Every structure is written in C-alpha cells, then in structure tokens.
Amino acid sequence: MSPADRGASKGPSELRRRAEKLLSAHPSDPAELSPEEVQRLVHDLEVHQIELEMQNRQLREAQEQLEASRDRYADLYDFAPLGYVSLDAGGSIREINLTAAAMLGTERAGLIGKTLVRWVAETDREVLRDHLRRCGSGEKEVNSAVSLVASGGRAVRVNLLSIPARRPEGSATLYRTAITDITERVKAEDEQRKLQAQLQQAQKLESLGVLAGGIAHDFNNLLTAILTNAELVLRGLSPSSPTRPNIEEIKTAAVRATDLTAQMLAYAG
C-alpha cells in the first residue's frame, strides 16, 4: 500500500473514532486521571498530531503531483506540434488543443461545439463528410487531406487522421483526430512534379536534337554525292549543251540544301 493509501485509511473519520474511544475509556474529569493515564493520553495526542502532519504532507505532495501532471498534459497536448481535435459523429468539435485552434485562427473557447466543416475549403467539404462517414462505418483508421481556411483567410493544407475513442457505454461516439500541416510538403511535391516535367521536356528536346543531327548528317552525305556527280556531268558537257542549264539548277539546289543541312546541324548542337 502506498503512503497516500495508508494516509487515506486514517482519514478524519478514523481519527475521530479513535479520539471518541479514548474519551470514553477515561473519566471526564482530568483531575481523576492518574499520572500514567495523563502521560499515555499526551503520548496518544502527540502520535495523532504526527499522523495529521503526515497526512497534510501527503496531501500537499499529492496536490503537487496533480499540478505537475496537469502541466505535463498541457505540454504534451495543448502545445504539441500536431493539432488534436475530438469530433462527434456530426463533425462538431468537442475537444481541441491550442495548436489546432491556431491553425483555424480562432480562440479555443469559440470552437467548442462548432462544426469543423466551417473551416474547410468549399472544394473539400464533401471530402470531410466522406471522412466522417468512413469513421462511422467502423474503420479503425481514416486518412483524408483537406484545405483549412483560417478565420483570417490563410489557407493550410492538412492531413486528417481519425481513430475512434474508447468511451463508456452509452456515451456519444468521439473520433480522435490528428491534424498535420502538410502545406510545405505539398508545395515541395508540386515543385518536384514541375521539375520532372521540365526534365522530361528537356529529354524530348535532346532526343529531337539527336534525331535532327542524324538526319542532317545522312542528308548531307546524299547532297555531297549529288553535287559531286553534278559537277562531273557539267565538266563533260559543252557550254552550248541544252542539258547544261538543268544540271546547273540541280547543282544550285544542292548547294542551297547543303546550307539548310548546316542549319539543322547547328540546331541539333
């Protein structure tokens, strides 16, 4: 048995019974008491005084322990890095810590009894209703992501994790819900997706450049053959040959195509 339990077993009613027993065992007139009886009574009173002092000390220690437990509760619950809220089946707030109240931009006293949906973005209100329906269906753990709009208009993206609370039989069902601010994580994921899209676009352009370079090289080889053969044909024709203008036009077109190929190679680079 702990000291507190032993002290509790000797409460005021027990001391009263013991005092009445002592009084009934001795004459009412102190003058009729023998020195031994007086000494024994004084001893008993001193013992009772010590017991009372011990009880008072135990009560003070118990009070200090209660205050320390209350302070630890405040540190662990009210000032936790996560928001905590207890919701009933209709989504009304029954309990909420200071962190969650700060997310909603409202004093805690003004949140008790209000429905959480009032602080959820309109586009996500159906998500919250579905979240509550899933809680009511018996799921042991329900996760949902919604956007909360604080009273000042600041939007926060959060994750809701709800589990049913153990309640005495006959009491209303409550869902303990942890609210995690994932705004920065969502921003980082969006930025990562943008960078991934840019990388994919760069890879596409790189592939296109490689393809253009390969085509340009192959085309340049064909043009080299055309120019070489055109030049050989022109050398074998007389200046007055009727086919000479046609061959010269072929040569001119091939030279212009060569310039275009150089541009394609420059783009590929």
Side-chain angles (χ1 to χ4, degrees):
M1 180 182 294
S2 67
D5 293 335
R6 289 195 297 270
S9 66
K10 296 181 180 180
S13 60
E14 175 66 17
L15 292 176
R16 181 183 178 88
R17 286 193 296 270
R18 293 179 63 179
E20 290 175 347
K21 183 177 180 181
L22 285 172
L23 288 174
S24 63
H26 298 284
S28 58
D29 187 358
E32 299 178 7
L33 296 174
S34 66
E36 292 80 7
E37 290 175 327
V38 171
Q39 185 177 3
R40 188 167 61 251
L41 284 173
V42 170
H43 174 74
D44 288 341
L45 288 174
E46 289 176 347
V47 170
H48 295 334
Q49 181 180 4
I50 293 173
E51 289 179 341
L52 285 173
E53 291 176 353
M54 291 177 63
Q55 287 182 357
N56 288 334
R57 184 170 65 252
Q58 290 170 357
L59 288 173
R60 287 194 299 270
E61 291 175 353
Q63 181 65 27
E64 291 173 356
Q65 291 175 359
L66 287 174
E67 292 177 355
S69 297
R70 182 191 61 195
D71 293 339
R72 285 195 298 270
Y73 172 81
D75 290 338
L76 294 174
Y77 180 75
D78 279 334
F79 303 108
L82 301 180
Y84 291 111
V85 60
S86 295
L87 303 173
D88 62 18
S92 295
I93 299 171
R94 297 304 175 190
E95 299 173 4
I96 187 168
N97 71 343
L98 294 178
T99 304
M103 288 181 181
L104 302 180
T106 306
E107 294 290 334
R108 176 160 54 183
L111 293 168
I112 304 300
K114 302 294 193 308
T115 54
L116 182 61
V117 72
R118 295 175 58 177
W119 285 270
V120 175
E122 291 187 7
T123 54
D124 289 334
R125 289 183 177 178
E126 188 56 37
V127 176
L128 177 62
R129 295 187 184 99
D130 180 67
H131 182 94
L132 294 172
R133 283 193 291 268
R134 291 170 58 195
C135 289
S137 68
E139 291 190 36
K140 294 183 179 180
E141 184 176 296
V142 180
N143 268 291
S144 298
V146 299
S147 292
L148 298 178
V149 181
S151 297
R154 183 176 63 93
V156 181
R157 191 69 177 173
V158 300
N159 182 76
L160 304 178
L161 172 60
S162 297
I163 59 174
R166 293 183 178 179
R167 305 290 293 171
E169 187 175 353
S171 61
T173 302
L174 289 180
Y175 304 108
R176 306 295 190 195
T177 302
I179 305 177
T180 307
D181 187 342
I182 59 172
T183 305
E184 295 303 321
R185 190 182 78 189
V186 171
K187 288 182 179 178
E189 290 174 352
D190 289 342
E191 186 65 25
Q192 185 178 8
R193 282 193 291 269
K194 290 178 182 178
L195 292 175
Q196 186 66 27
Q198 292 176 358
L199 177 60
Q200 291 175 353
Q201 183 65 19
Q203 290 173 341
K204 289 179 181 179
L205 291 174
E206 182 180 6
S207 298
L208 183 60
V210 172
L211 177 62
I215 294 174
H217 278 294
D218 291 342
F219 192 53
N220 191 58
N221 292 335
L222 294 174
L223 291 174
T224 300
I226 293 172
L227 283 171
T228 301
N229 285 284
E231 187 68 32
L232 291 174
V233 171
L234 286 174
R235 289 179 183 179
L237 293 175
S238 63
S240 59
S241 173
T243 59
R244 190 176 185 88
N246 295 329
I247 301 302
E248 289 179 348
E249 187 175 350
I250 291 173
K251 180 181 177 181
T252 301
V255 171
R256 293 170 62 184
T258 302
D259 294 338
L260 180 60
T261 303
Q263 293 179 19
M264 291 177 63
L265 288 171
Y267 170 77

mmCIF file of all heavy atoms in Angstrom, residues 164-192:
data_model
loop_
_atom_site.group_PDB
_atom_site.id
_atom_site.type_symbol
_atom_site.label_atom_id
_atom_site.label_comp_id
_atom_site.label_asym_id
_atom_site.label_seq_id
_atom_site.Cartn_x
_atom_site.Cartn_y
_atom_site.Cartn_z
ATOM 1 N N PRO A 164 -11.411 5.997 -33.642
ATOM 2 C CA PRO A 164 -12.499 6.088 -32.656
ATOM 3 C C PRO A 164 -11.936 6.082 -31.243
ATOM 4 O O PRO A 164 -10.963 5.390 -30.943
ATOM 5 C CB PRO A 164 -13.345 4.849 -32.944
ATOM 6 C CG PRO A 164 -12.410 3.890 -33.596
ATOM 7 C CD PRO A 164 -11.434 4.713 -34.374
ATOM 8 N N ALA A 165 -12.560 6.883 -30.368
ATOM 9 C CA ALA A 165 -12.130 6.938 -28.975
ATOM 10 C C ALA A 165 -12.875 5.891 -28.160
ATOM 11 O O ALA A 165 -14.023 5.566 -28.459
ATOM 12 C CB ALA A 165 -12.395 8.333 -28.400
ATOM 13 N N ARG A 166 -12.205 5.369 -27.155
ATOM 14 C CA ARG A 166 -12.861 4.444 -26.240
ATOM 15 C C ARG A 166 -13.737 5.252 -25.289
ATOM 16 O O ARG A 166 -13.248 6.103 -24.552
ATOM 17 C CB ARG A 166 -11.827 3.639 -25.463
ATOM 18 C CG ARG A 166 -11.021 2.683 -26.335
ATOM 19 C CD ARG A 166 -10.064 1.863 -25.493
ATOM 20 N NE ARG A 166 -9.322 0.905 -26.311
ATOM 21 C CZ ARG A 166 -8.411 0.078 -25.826
ATOM 22 N NH1 ARG A 166 -8.128 0.099 -24.526
ATOM 23 N NH2 ARG A 166 -7.782 -0.758 -26.608
ATOM 24 N N ARG A 167 -15.020 4.984 -25.296
ATOM 25 C CA ARG A 167 -15.966 5.747 -24.493
ATOM 26 C C ARG A 167 -16.759 4.810 -23.593
ATOM 27 O O ARG A 167 -16.984 3.653 -23.950
ATOM 28 C CB ARG A 167 -16.938 6.515 -25.402
ATOM 29 C CG ARG A 167 -16.273 7.413 -26.421
ATOM 30 C CD ARG A 167 -15.627 8.610 -25.770
ATOM 31 N NE ARG A 167 -16.640 9.488 -25.189
ATOM 32 C CZ ARG A 167 -16.362 10.522 -24.397
ATOM 33 N NH1 ARG A 167 -15.127 10.770 -24.050
ATOM 34 N NH2 ARG A 167 -17.325 11.287 -23.938
ATOM 35 N N PRO A 168 -17.193 5.299 -22.410
ATOM 36 C CA PRO A 168 -18.064 4.470 -21.566
ATOM 37 C C PRO A 168 -19.353 4.121 -22.306
ATOM 38 O O PRO A 168 -19.806 4.876 -23.168
ATOM 39 C CB PRO A 168 -18.342 5.377 -20.359
ATOM 40 C CG PRO A 168 -17.229 6.375 -20.362
ATOM 41 C CD PRO A 168 -16.863 6.581 -21.794
ATOM 42 N N GLU A 169 -19.904 2.980 -21.972
ATOM 43 C CA GLU A 169 -21.114 2.528 -22.646
ATOM 44 C C GLU A 169 -22.232 3.552 -22.474
ATOM 45 O O GLU A 169 -22.495 4.046 -21.380
ATOM 46 C CB GLU A 169 -21.549 1.173 -22.074
ATOM 47 C CG GLU A 169 -22.706 0.545 -22.831
ATOM 48 C CD GLU A 169 -23.045 -0.843 -22.321
ATOM 49 O OE1 GLU A 169 -22.287 -1.353 -21.459
ATOM 50 O OE2 GLU A 169 -24.046 -1.403 -22.765
ATOM 51 N N GLY A 170 -22.882 3.864 -23.581
ATOM 52 C CA GLY A 170 -23.991 4.812 -23.548
ATOM 53 C C GLY A 170 -23.593 6.234 -23.853
ATOM 54 O O GLY A 170 -24.461 7.084 -24.088
ATOM 55 N N SER A 171 -22.293 6.556 -23.862
ATOM 56 C CA SER A 171 -21.867 7.921 -24.161
ATOM 57 C C SER A 171 -21.717 8.104 -25.664
ATOM 58 O O SER A 171 -21.652 7.145 -26.426
ATOM 59 C CB SER A 171 -20.540 8.226 -23.461
ATOM 60 O OG SER A 171 -19.529 7.344 -23.920
ATOM 61 N N ALA A 172 -21.672 9.374 -26.073
ATOM 62 C CA ALA A 172 -21.600 9.689 -27.505
ATOM 63 C C ALA A 172 -20.252 9.248 -28.083
ATOM 64 O O ALA A 172 -19.225 9.291 -27.415
ATOM 65 C CB ALA A 172 -21.788 11.180 -27.717
ATOM 66 N N THR A 173 -20.281 8.817 -29.337
ATOM 67 C CA THR A 173 -19.058 8.396 -30.018
ATOM 68 C C THR A 173 -18.215 9.612 -30.380
ATOM 69 O O THR A 173 -18.730 10.614 -30.874
ATOM 70 C CB THR A 173 -19.398 7.601 -31.288
ATOM 71 O OG1 THR A 173 -20.184 6.468 -30.933
ATOM 72 C CG2 THR A 173 -18.133 7.136 -31.982
ATOM 73 N N LEU A 174 -16.923 9.500 -30.129
ATOM 74 C CA LEU A 174 -15.990 10.559 -30.489
ATOM 75 C C LEU A 174 -14.878 9.976 -31.351
ATOM 76 O O LEU A 174 -14.533 8.801 -31.236
ATOM 77 C CB LEU A 174 -15.377 11.204 -29.245
ATOM 78 C CG LEU A 174 -16.272 12.082 -28.386
ATOM 79 C CD1 LEU A 174 -15.486 12.632 -27.207
ATOM 80 C CD2 LEU A 174 -16.867 13.222 -29.198
ATOM 81 N N TYR A 175 -14.331 10.836 -32.228
ATOM 82 C CA TYR A 175 -13.221 10.431 -33.087
ATOM 83 C C TYR A 175 -12.038 11.343 -32.794
ATOM 84 O O TYR A 175 -12.109 12.552 -32.998
ATOM 85 C CB TYR A 175 -13.628 10.508 -34.557
ATOM 86 C CG TYR A 175 -14.859 9.695 -34.867
ATOM 87 C CD1 TYR A 175 -16.073 10.321 -35.140
ATOM 88 C CD2 TYR A 175 -14.826 8.308 -34.840
ATOM 89 C CE1 TYR A 175 -17.217 9.584 -35.396
ATOM 90 C CE2 TYR A 175 -15.962 7.561 -35.106
ATOM 91 C CZ TYR A 175 -17.156 8.208 -35.377
ATOM 92 O OH TYR A 175 -18.286 7.468 -35.620
ATOM 93 N N ARG A 176 -10.969 10.745 -32.266
ATOM 94 C CA ARG A 176 -9.748 11.494 -32.003
ATOM 95 C C ARG A 176 -9.050 11.733 -33.340
ATOM 96 O O ARG A 176 -8.737 10.794 -34.059
ATOM 97 C CB ARG A 176 -8.830 10.707 -31.072
ATOM 98 C CG ARG A 176 -9.477 10.250 -29.770
ATOM 99 C CD ARG A 176 -9.860 11.392 -28.881
ATOM 100 N NE ARG A 176 -10.266 10.908 -27.562
ATOM 101 C CZ ARG A 176 -10.908 11.638 -26.675
ATOM 102 N NH1 ARG A 176 -11.224 12.890 -26.979
ATOM 103 N NH2 ARG A 176 -11.245 11.139 -25.495
ATOM 104 N N THR A 177 -8.807 12.980 -33.649
ATOM 105 C CA THR A 177 -8.272 13.335 -34.969
ATOM 106 C C THR A 177 -6.998 14.146 -34.823
ATOM 107 O O THR A 177 -6.972 15.162 -34.128
ATOM 108 C CB THR A 177 -9.302 14.147 -35.768
ATOM 109 O OG1 THR A 177 -10.517 13.386 -35.891
ATOM 110 C CG2 THR A 177 -8.777 14.479 -37.153
ATOM 111 N N ALA A 178 -5.930 13.660 -35.463
ATOM 112 C CA ALA A 178 -4.663 14.392 -35.525
ATOM 113 C C ALA A 178 -4.638 15.196 -36.823
ATOM 114 O O ALA A 178 -4.928 14.675 -37.894
ATOM 115 C CB ALA A 178 -3.485 13.428 -35.479
ATOM 116 N N ILE A 179 -4.288 16.478 -36.715
ATOM 117 C CA ILE A 179 -4.253 17.375 -37.867
ATOM 118 C C ILE A 179 -2.795 17.743 -38.130
ATOM 119 O O ILE A 179 -2.149 18.399 -37.307
ATOM 120 C CB ILE A 179 -5.086 18.643 -37.615
ATOM 121 C CG1 ILE A 179 -6.524 18.271 -37.218
ATOM 122 C CG2 ILE A 179 -5.092 19.528 -38.849
ATOM 123 C CD1 ILE A 179 -7.390 19.472 -36.882
ATOM 124 N N THR A 180 -2.277 17.312 -39.273
ATOM 125 C CA THR A 180 -0.882 17.573 -39.643
ATOM 126 C C THR A 180 -0.828 18.585 -40.778
ATOM 127 O O THR A 180 -1.468 18.403 -41.811
ATOM 128 C CB THR A 180 -0.186 16.275 -40.090
ATOM 129 O OG1 THR A 180 -0.347 15.273 -39.078
ATOM 130 C CG2 THR A 180 1.293 16.512 -40.330
ATOM 131 N N ASP A 181 -0.067 19.641 -40.578
ATOM 132 C CA ASP A 181 0.108 20.660 -41.615
ATOM 133 C C ASP A 181 1.054 20.106 -42.686
ATOM 134 O O ASP A 181 2.232 19.852 -42.424
ATOM 135 C CB ASP A 181 0.696 21.931 -40.995
ATOM 136 C CG ASP A 181 0.748 23.091 -41.990
ATOM 137 O OD1 ASP A 181 0.655 22.852 -43.216
ATOM 138 O OD2 ASP A 181 0.878 24.250 -41.551
ATOM 139 N N ILE A 182 0.522 19.890 -43.888
ATOM 140 C CA ILE A 182 1.338 19.340 -44.990
ATOM 141 C C ILE A 182 1.495 20.361 -46.112
ATOM 142 O O ILE A 182 1.799 20.000 -47.248
ATOM 143 C CB ILE A 182 0.719 18.034 -45.530
ATOM 144 C CG1 ILE A 182 -0.719 18.282 -46.035
ATOM 145 C CG2 ILE A 182 0.735 16.953 -44.478
ATOM 146 C CD1 ILE A 182 -1.329 17.085 -46.758
ATOM 147 N N THR A 183 1.278 21.645 -45.790
ATOM 148 C CA THR A 183 1.345 22.690 -46.818
ATOM 149 C C THR A 183 2.700 22.697 -47.517
ATOM 150 O O THR A 183 2.777 22.691 -48.753
ATOM 151 C CB THR A 183 1.073 24.068 -46.184
ATOM 152 O OG1 THR A 183 -0.187 24.032 -45.500
ATOM 153 C CG2 THR A 183 1.035 25.149 -47.250
ATOM 154 N N GLU A 184 3.771 22.708 -46.744
ATOM 155 C CA GLU A 184 5.108 22.763 -47.331
ATOM 156 C C GLU A 184 5.419 21.492 -48.105
ATOM 157 O O GLU A 184 6.069 21.537 -49.149
ATOM 158 C CB GLU A 184 6.156 23.005 -46.239
ATOM 159 C CG GLU A 184 6.043 24.358 -45.555
ATOM 160 C CD GLU A 184 6.135 25.507 -46.549
ATOM 161 O OE1 GLU A 184 6.958 25.407 -47.488
ATOM 162 O OE2 GLU A 184 5.395 26.493 -46.391
ATOM 163 N N ARG A 185 4.959 20.364 -47.591
ATOM 164 C CA ARG A 185 5.211 19.105 -48.294
ATOM 165 C C ARG A 185 4.502 19.083 -49.642
ATOM 166 O O ARG A 185 5.061 18.647 -50.647
ATOM 167 C CB ARG A 185 4.740 17.929 -47.436
ATOM 168 C CG ARG A 185 5.182 16.574 -47.974
ATOM 169 C CD ARG A 185 4.641 15.460 -47.110
ATOM 170 N NE ARG A 185 3.237 15.188 -47.386
ATOM 171 C CZ ARG A 185 2.482 14.378 -46.660
ATOM 172 N NH1 ARG A 185 2.989 13.796 -45.582
ATOM 173 N NH2 ARG A 185 1.227 14.163 -46.975
ATOM 174 N N VAL A 186 3.257 19.583 -49.661
ATOM 175 C CA VAL A 186 2.513 19.639 -50.924
ATOM 176 C C VAL A 186 3.208 20.580 -51.907
ATOM 177 O O VAL A 186 3.323 20.273 -53.107
ATOM 178 C CB VAL A 186 1.063 20.094 -50.665
ATOM 179 C CG1 VAL A 186 0.345 20.375 -51.974
ATOM 180 C CG2 VAL A 186 0.307 19.023 -49.878
ATOM 181 N N LYS A 187 3.695 21.728 -51.406
ATOM 182 C CA LYS A 187 4.421 22.657 -52.284
ATOM 183 C C LYS A 187 5.668 21.995 -52.856
ATOM 184 O O LYS A 187 5.983 22.146 -54.040
ATOM 185 C CB LYS A 187 4.796 23.916 -51.501
ATOM 186 C CG LYS A 187 3.625 24.838 -51.184
ATOM 187 C CD LYS A 187 4.106 26.078 -50.450
ATOM 188 C CE LYS A 187 2.952 27.022 -50.144
ATOM 189 N NZ LYS A 187 3.409 28.218 -49.391
ATOM 190 N N ALA A 188 6.391 21.268 -51.995
ATOM 191 C CA ALA A 188 7.608 20.597 -52.458
ATOM 192 C C ALA A 188 7.274 19.531 -53.500
ATOM 193 O O ALA A 188 7.988 19.377 -54.501
ATOM 194 C CB ALA A 188 8.332 19.968 -51.270
ATOM 195 N N GLU A 189 6.175 18.803 -53.289
ATOM 196 C CA GLU A 189 5.771 17.779 -54.261
ATOM 197 C C GLU A 189 5.365 18.424 -55.583
ATOM 198 O O GLU A 189 5.696 17.905 -56.658
ATOM 199 C CB GLU A 189 4.620 16.954 -53.689
ATOM 200 C CG GLU A 189 5.044 16.044 -52.541
ATOM 201 C CD GLU A 189 3.866 15.350 -51.891
ATOM 202 O OE1 GLU A 189 2.711 15.703 -52.252
ATOM 203 O OE2 GLU A 189 4.079 14.452 -51.045
ATOM 204 N N ASP A 190 4.649 19.564 -55.525
ATOM 205 C CA ASP A 190 4.276 20.276 -56.749
ATOM 206 C C ASP A 190 5.524 20.758 -57.496
ATOM 207 O O ASP A 190 5.605 20.648 -58.724
ATOM 208 C CB ASP A 190 3.369 21.461 -56.418
ATOM 209 C CG ASP A 190 1.985 21.025 -55.974
ATOM 210 O OD1 ASP A 190 1.620 19.863 -56.253
ATOM 211 O OD2 ASP A 190 1.270 21.840 -55.363
ATOM 212 N N GLU A 191 6.474 21.284 -56.735
ATOM 213 C CA GLU A 191 7.709 21.760 -57.357
ATOM 214 C C GLU A 191 8.479 20.605 -57.987
ATOM 215 O O GLU A 191 9.047 20.740 -59.078
ATOM 216 C CB GLU A 191 8.568 22.462 -56.305
ATOM 217 C CG GLU A 191 9.828 23.124 -56.856
ATOM 218 C CD GLU A 191 9.506 24.261 -57.803
ATOM 219 O OE1 GLU A 191 8.404 24.846 -57.698
ATOM 220 O OE2 GLU A 191 10.370 24.565 -58.667
ATOM 221 N N GLN A 192 8.468 19.464 -57.307
ATOM 222 C CA GLN A 192 9.149 18.292 -57.856
ATOM 223 C C GLN A 192 8.486 17.834 -59.152
ATOM 224 O O GLN A 192 9.176 17.452 -60.110
ATOM 225 C CB GLN A 192 9.151 17.167 -56.828
ATOM 226 C CG GLN A 192 9.936 15.937 -57.266
ATOM 227 C CD GLN A 192 9.972 14.857 -56.204
ATOM 228 O OE1 GLN A 192 9.294 14.963 -55.188
ATOM 229 N NE2 GLN A 192 10.760 13.828 -56.430
#
